[in-house]
Amino acid sequence: MLRPKIPTMPTPVGVTAPPAVVQPTAVEPAAQTMTPAAAPVVPTARPTVQITPGSVLAVVGAGTAVVLVVGTVLVSMLLATAVTAASVAVCAVVVRSLLTSPNKRRR
């Protein structure tokens, strides 16, 4: 049987590990500088949305289209499920009638 060779990494002879160097990581706070006070920000007026009869008609039309498309997809899925269930039921009745038929031939 084949056995994989697991590599071992021995330290070469005559080589020593380098000494660990520790760098100081003291955090020194930065000098606090006084910044001049910012001028107060005046809020700009946002433009208001103008609702026109055309935009209302467009939103209503788009909503109606979405409802019709989603409804069509859901009804078609329900119809496909109903047709599949009916065909499986017909197949089950045919198989049952073939298995329990009184006209079986006896030999």
Side-chain angles (χ1 to χ4, degrees):
M1 175 175 258
L2 298 173
R3 291 188 181 175
K5 293 183 179 179
I6 300 173
T8 58
M9 298 181 57
T11 306
V13 177
V15 177
T16 60
V21 178
V22 178
Q23 297 289 334
T25 58
V27 177
E28 297 178 10
Q32 299 274 336
T33 58
M34 297 296 287
T35 58
V41 178
V42 177
T44 58
R46 292 173 45 185
T48 58
V49 177
Q50 298 290 332
I51 298 177
T52 62
S55 63
V56 170
L57 187 61
V59 169
V60 168
T64 303
V66 167
V67 167
L68 289 177
V69 168
V70 170
T72 302
V73 169
L74 291 177
V75 168
S76 64
M77 290 172 63
L78 181 63
L79 183 62
T81 304
V83 168
T84 303
S87 65
V88 168
V90 168
C91 289
V93 169
V94 168
V95 168
R96 183 177 178 190
S97 68
L98 288 175
L99 290 176
T100 60
S101 172
N103 298 328
K104 291 184 179 178
R105 292 185 182 188
R106 294 184 184 178
R107 290 187 177 189

